[in-house]
């Protein structure tokens, strides 16, 4: 959504000075905002507080869910099912609570309607409507100490069936499962369809693809939630707000539809007693997979989650990493380890199967990878969180471009992922196109984009940054020193990268370095000390495997 539309959407906030107003107003970019997690000490204390609170709420809700369903699932099983969602929703609600509790004049949006969540994936942290609904409930509770339930309008998906798969394709795999038995269940580990089939043949001698079954959709039962899920708490703090409100937000997949999902997946062609269950992506939003996995864990299956990228192992705060390690029997990293015994040193699976053909001495192309961020903060993180942070990243690109001479601009391509427009605010490239900058909207693969570049510029310690290091492509990283912080175990490498002019903390210094050294970039990148530091870093955080199929198959068999 364009910034002009966002401003219109938030027009009822114009009369007040609020951190929420600033998230949606480009004119506020140079102001010092009082966003509560700009305080690093508070961020650290809140992370500790939230870890403890989430664990406390999990312990309570897993008991309530057993009572709701008249079952006796273990803590481990419920952790697999609900723990990722609890982390996401409690972080978001706490952020809104802290941002609003000092806003005495904040005007309500008067949003009474809530679209009931069928599954975890329906909780959209960037949804304006959902955020307005949540903000109104927080303000309501902070002022009146209760949720005015009778005034809410709960809107439900009335479809009788939740459809997940094409019937014909599902039936084909159902038939194949009679002839090919699988002991190792592999679902979405980041490989192409072809390579996934090859891996499945190696470990299972099977071509079966695992598709989610459809299931019947039950009606939302507010009364039953009030009786069995709501927690009684008459205090006036954030925890009390959670206890008096969270039961409304629970996806139906954990409550009303839980039995239907359980029965549909038990009757499906998925393995009855797999030895191991392996994924890199399905651990969070795929409720059918999570419920099935929880059921199989009780039969002795082991649950392995593979790192899929990002700044895991290096970022000071990464809650996604934290709850993956928490719910898995083993977490296979891209090379790093820490004090947690579940974290096992492995390799960068997503990258190890890829190849790239390039001749760095025959081209002069510069690729700038624009990192996109949501305008609405929603969790403790070592990445930009607010709209102000997002807008500063856009200004960073403008500064970089403006500092380049006209000859270098002719070689510059700006890459951004246009398919993320529905998740993030619209990325307007007009100003860059008017300056003669080529635009790459992400329609071709990242490997294709970097194959013909002399150097790649990144805005985030992300998968893309690791990928160019993995393929030994000259790389510059621009970070915000106040926000994008590393854990102590990674500090040495980031300091060395800064020393060797690979990491910069503002666009001006990065642009000036590139301007002065462009003709000798390959010589700079080939320096022995720089290459050694890069190799040591990659061996820890984006490790290679010369025989990825063999290594992976050996680990998961």
């Amino acid at each position: 959504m364009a910034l002009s539309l966002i401003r219109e959407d938030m027009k009822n906030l114009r009369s007040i000075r609020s951190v929420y107003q600033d998230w949606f107003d480009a004119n506020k970019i140079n102001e010092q905002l009082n966003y509560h997690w700009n305080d690093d000490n508070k961020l650290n204390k809140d992370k500790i507080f939230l870890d403890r609170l989430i664990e406390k709420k999990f312990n309570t809700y897993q008991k309530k869910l057993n009572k709701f369903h008249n079952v006796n699932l273990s803590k481990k099983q419920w952790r697999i099912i609900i723990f990722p969602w609890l982390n996401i929703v409690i972080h978001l609600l706490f952020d809104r609570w802290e941002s609003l509790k000092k806003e005495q004049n904040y005007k309500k949006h008067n949003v009474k309607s809530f679209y009931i969540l069928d599954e975890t994936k329906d909780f959209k942290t960037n949804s304006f409507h959902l955020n307005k609904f949540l903000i109104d409930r927080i303000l309501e509770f902070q002022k009146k100490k209760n949720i005015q339930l009778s005034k809410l309008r709960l809107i439900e998906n009335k479809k009788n069936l939740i459809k997940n798969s094409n019937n014909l394709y599902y039936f084909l795999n159902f038939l194949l499962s009679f002839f090919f038995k699988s002991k190792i269940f592999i679902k979405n580990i980041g490989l192409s369809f072809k390579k996934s089939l090859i891996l499945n043949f190696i470990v299972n001698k099977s071509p079966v693809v695992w598709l989610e079954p459809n299931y019947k959709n039950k009606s939302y039962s507010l009364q039953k939630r009030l009786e069995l899920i709501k927690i009684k708490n008459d205090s006036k703090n954030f925890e009390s707000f959670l206890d008096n409100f969270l039961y409304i937000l629970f996806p139906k997949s954990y409550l009303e539809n839980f039995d239907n999902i359980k029965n549909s997946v038990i009757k499906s062609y998925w393995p009855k007693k797999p030895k191991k269950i392996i994924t890199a992506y399905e651990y969070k939003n795929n409720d059918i997979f999570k419920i099935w996995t929880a059921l199989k864990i009780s039969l002795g299956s082991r649950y392995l989650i593979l790192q899929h990228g990002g700044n895991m192992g290096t970022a000071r705060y990464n809650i996604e990493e934290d709850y993956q390690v928490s719910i898995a029997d083993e977490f296979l990293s891209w090379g790093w380890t820490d004090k947690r015994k579940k974290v096992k040193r492995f390799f960068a699976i997503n990258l190890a199967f890829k190849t790239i053909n390039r001749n760095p001495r025959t081209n002069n192309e510069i690729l700038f990878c624009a990192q996109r961020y949501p305008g609405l903060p929603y969790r403790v993180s070592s990445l930009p969180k607010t709209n102000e942070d997002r807008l500063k990243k856009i200004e960073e690109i403008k500064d970089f471009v403006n500092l380049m001479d006209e000859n270098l601009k002719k070689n510059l391509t700006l890459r951004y992922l246009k398919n993320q427009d529905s998740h993030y605010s619209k990325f307007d490239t007009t100003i860059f196109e008017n300056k003669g900058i080529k635009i790459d909207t992400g329609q071709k693969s990242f490997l294709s984009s970097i194959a013909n570049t002399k150097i790649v510029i990144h805005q985030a310690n992300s998968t893309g940054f690791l990928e160019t290091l993995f393929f030994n492509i000259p790389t510059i990283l621009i970070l915000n020193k106040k926000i994008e912080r590393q854990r102590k175990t990674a500090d040495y490498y980031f300091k060395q990268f800064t020393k060797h002019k690979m990491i910069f903390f503002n666009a001006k210094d990065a642009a000036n370095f590139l301007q002065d050294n462009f003709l000798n970039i390959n010589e700079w990148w080939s320096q022995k000390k720089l290459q050694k530091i890069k190799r040591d870093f990659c061996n820890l955080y984006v490790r290679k495997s010369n025989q990825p199929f063999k290594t992976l198959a050996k680990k998961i068999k």
Side-chain angles (χ1 to χ4, degrees):
M1 188 177 289
L3 284 174
S4 59
L5 294 178
I6 297 171
R7 294 193 196 101
E8 177 66 23
D9 193 42
M10 301 293 282
K11 62 185 179 182
N12 57 327
L13 303 180
R14 290 304 187 196
S15 62
I16 58 171
R17 180 71 177 89
S18 164
V19 99
Y20 277 85
Q21 179 182 356
D22 297 327
W23 285 350
F24 297 95
D25 193 340
N27 297 323
K28 300 293 182 182
I29 189 169
N30 293 316
E31 293 192 19
Q32 181 63 43
L33 303 181
N34 190 29
Y35 177 59
H36 69 107
W37 278 338
N38 283 347
D39 181 339
D40 199 52
N41 288 328
K42 185 179 187 303
L43 183 65
N44 186 55
K45 289 178 181 178
D46 286 351
K47 173 63 167 59
I48 295 169
F49 166 75
L50 286 168
D51 285 347
R52 292 171 179 168
L53 179 63
I54 291 167
E55 194 64 36
K56 179 181 178 181
K57 295 298 113 180
F58 165 73
N59 286 327
T60 300
Y61 283 122
Q62 62 91 16
K63 294 175 184 176
K64 285 182 168 290
L65 286 164
N66 272 334
K67 185 176 181 181
F68 187 97
H69 297 295
N70 194 25
V71 295
N72 190 29
L73 270 61
S74 67
K75 280 188 178 182
K76 183 177 181 180
Q77 289 174 288
W78 281 120
R79 187 176 293 275
I80 290 169
I81 298 169
I82 70 168
F83 201 67
W85 179 79
L86 276 180
N87 272 267
I88 295 165
V89 71
I90 291 177
H91 270 252
L92 185 145
L93 290 172
F94 182 77
D95 174 76
R96 303 298 183 267
W97 176 276
E98 289 294 289
S99 295
L100 289 167
K101 68 182 182 181
K102 294 182 180 179
E103 296 291 348
Q104 300 298 322
N105 299 315
Y106 195 98
K107 294 182 180 179
K108 290 178 67 174
H109 302 282
N110 293 316
V111 174
K112 304 290 186 182
S113 60
F114 171 65
Y115 294 90
I116 293 163
L117 308 177
D118 285 326
E119 298 179 350
T120 302
K121 63 185 178 183
D122 298 322
F123 188 82
K124 308 292 186 184
T125 58
N126 62 320
S127 164
F128 287 177
H129 183 90
L130 175 62
N131 274 280
K132 290 177 182 180
F133 175 80
L134 299 177
I135 288 168
D136 280 359
R137 303 294 76 75
I138 291 171
L139 290 170
E140 194 173 82
F141 189 84
Q142 288 178 345
K143 292 179 179 179
K144 299 182 179 180
K145 308 309 174 192
N146 63 61
I147 304 295
Q148 296 178 297
L149 188 59
S150 62
K151 295 183 179 181
L152 300 184
R153 181 170 172 250
L154 303 178
I155 303 170
E156 186 173 10
N157 171 14
K158 292 296 185 180
K159 291 182 179 179
N160 293 325
L161 192 70
I162 303 293
K163 295 196 69 174
N164 294 291
S165 304
N166 175 282
N167 289 338
L168 183 60
Y169 192 34
Y170 183 92
F171 183 67
L172 173 62
N173 282 281
F174 178 81
L175 290 177
L176 286 172
S177 69
F178 283 98
F179 303 98
F180 301 94
K181 302 301 179 183
S182 300
K183 282 293 183 183
I184 308 299
F185 184 91
I186 307 168
K187 187 166 178 63
N188 194 3
I189 62 171
L191 301 184
S192 68
F193 181 75
K194 180 181 177 181
K195 286 185 171 61
S196 294
L197 280 179
I198 293 172
L199 179 63
N200 205 20
F201 266 106
I202 292 173
V203 298
N204 287 315
K205 303 291 190 293
S206 170
V208 177
V209 176
W210 309 112
L211 302 174
E212 287 77 7
N214 302 327
Y215 62 89
K216 291 183 179 179
N217 184 25
K218 284 187 177 180
S219 297
Y220 182 89
S221 176
L222 180 60
Q223 187 59 39
K224 196 172 180 182
R225 289 174 178 236
L226 281 166
E227 292 173 3
L228 297 176
I229 300 300
K230 184 180 178 182
I231 301 171
K232 293 181 180 180
N233 188 337
D234 296 326
S235 301
K236 300 178 181 180
N237 54 20
F238 174 69
E239 183 176 355
S240 177
F241 168 71
L242 276 185
D243 293 342
N244 284 279
F245 180 61
L246 203 56
Y247 72 96
I248 297 173
L249 299 184
F250 264 78
K252 287 168 64 177
S253 51
Y254 302 161
L255 298 172
E256 294 85 0
N257 283 334
F258 179 82
D259 285 339
N260 285 349
I261 293 175
K262 183 176 70 172
N263 292 333
S264 69
V265 79
I266 287 174
K267 293 176 183 178
S268 75
Y269 66 91
W270 288 21
K272 303 306 177 188
K273 195 175 180 181
K275 181 181 176 183
K276 290 181 180 178
I277 300 166
I278 299 126
T279 189
Y281 294 92
E282 304 300 311
Y283 60 88
K284 179 166 66 174
N285 287 325
N286 189 335
D287 291 339
I288 293 175
F289 168 83
K290 291 189 295 179
I291 291 170
W292 175 82
T293 298
L295 296 174
K296 299 306 148 184
I297 291 298
S298 67
L299 300 177
S301 300
R302 287 187 61 76
Y303 186 26
L304 278 64
I305 297 180
L306 314 182
Q307 180 180 337
H308 61 260
N311 53 19
M312 294 182 184
T314 59
R316 183 178 295 183
Y317 305 109
N318 190 320
I319 67 163
E320 191 106 352
E321 171 196 315
D322 292 342
Y323 62 67
Q324 286 181 58
V325 174
S326 175
I327 65 179
D329 289 312
E330 290 184 56
F331 177 82
L332 305 185
S333 79
W334 279 11
W336 56 275
T337 58
D338 60 20
K339 294 179 181 179
R340 295 170 293 186
K341 293 181 180 180
K342 289 183 179 181
V343 179
K344 307 295 183 183
R345 175 175 165 84
F346 209 48
F347 66 94
I349 294 168
N350 312 47
L351 307 183
F353 291 93
K354 297 179 180 180
T355 57
I356 186 170
N357 296 313
R358 64 189 302 271
N359 187 344
R361 298 186 182 279
T362 61
N363 64 73
N364 289 310
E365 294 299 309
I366 305 166
L367 182 69
F368 195 110
C369 298
Q371 190 74 18
R372 304 185 71 180
Y373 297 98
L376 294 167
Y378 65 98
R379 62 183 179 185
V380 168
S381 171
S382 293
L383 294 172
K385 290 177 278 295
T386 66
N387 195 52
E388 185 203 22
D389 296 338
R390 182 186 69 82
L391 293 168
K392 282 183 177 179
K393 283 292 183 180
I394 296 173
E395 289 298 308
E396 190 174 81
I397 304 171
K398 294 177 183 177
D399 290 344
F400 186 89
V401 170
N402 290 336
L403 287 164
M404 298 181 72
D405 67 32
E406 294 305 315
N407 289 327
L408 281 189
K409 284 179 185 177
K410 295 176 183 177
N411 301 327
L412 181 62
T413 296
L414 178 63
R415 177 182 168 90
Y416 79 104
L417 300 181
K418 186 174 177 59
N419 62 6
Q420 293 181 342
D421 279 355
S422 60
H423 188 69
Y424 301 123
S425 299
K426 184 179 178 182
F427 190 79
D428 189 355
T429 59
T430 306
I431 187 173
F432 303 110
E433 293 176 85
N434 290 341
K435 293 179 181 291
I437 307 302
K438 298 182 286 291
I439 304 298
D440 175 353
T441 59
Q443 292 182 329
K444 58 182 179 180
S445 71
F446 185 58
L447 279 187
S448 298
S449 292
I450 64 177
N452 298 310
T453 58
K454 186 168 188 174
I455 188 167
V456 180
I457 319 297
H458 293 282
Q459 279 190 299
N461 172 21
S462 62
T463 306
F465 169 63
L466 295 177
E467 197 159 350
T468 52
L469 294 186
F470 183 89
F471 291 110
N472 200 23
I473 295 171
T475 299
I476 285 176
L477 174 61
I478 305 173
L479 295 177
N480 183 325
K481 186 181 288 189
K482 292 182 179 180
I483 298 172
E484 296 163 287
R485 298 188 178 185
Q486 286 67 52
R487 61 192 72 173
K488 291 180 180 180
T489 51
D491 267 347
Y492 168 77
Y493 295 101
F494 280 77
K495 287 177 181 177
Q496 288 297 313
F497 285 157
T498 304
K499 178 181 177 181
H500 288 89
K501 307 299 181 184
M502 205 178 93
I503 289 179
F504 295 89
F505 296 104
N506 62 72
K508 179 180 178 182
D509 290 346
N512 286 338
F513 174 81
L514 184 62
Q515 193 82 33
D516 295 340
N517 295 276
F518 185 72
L519 296 178
N520 301 308
I521 284 296
N522 292 316
E523 288 72 18
W524 160 73
W525 186 251
S526 300
Q527 293 176 91
K528 288 184 179 180
K529 289 184 178 180
L530 176 57
Q531 281 295 304
K532 183 180 185 307
I533 291 295
K534 191 229 25 133
R535 282 195 304 271
D536 291 346
F537 177 84
C538 288
N539 192 43
L540 276 179
Y541 299 108
V542 58
R543 190 166 171 247
K544 292 186 177 182
S545 172
N546 294 325
Q547 297 179 301
F549 272 126
K550 184 178 180 180
T551 306
L552 181 55
K554 183 179 179 181
K555 176 64 180 176
I556 66 179
K557 268 190 173 181

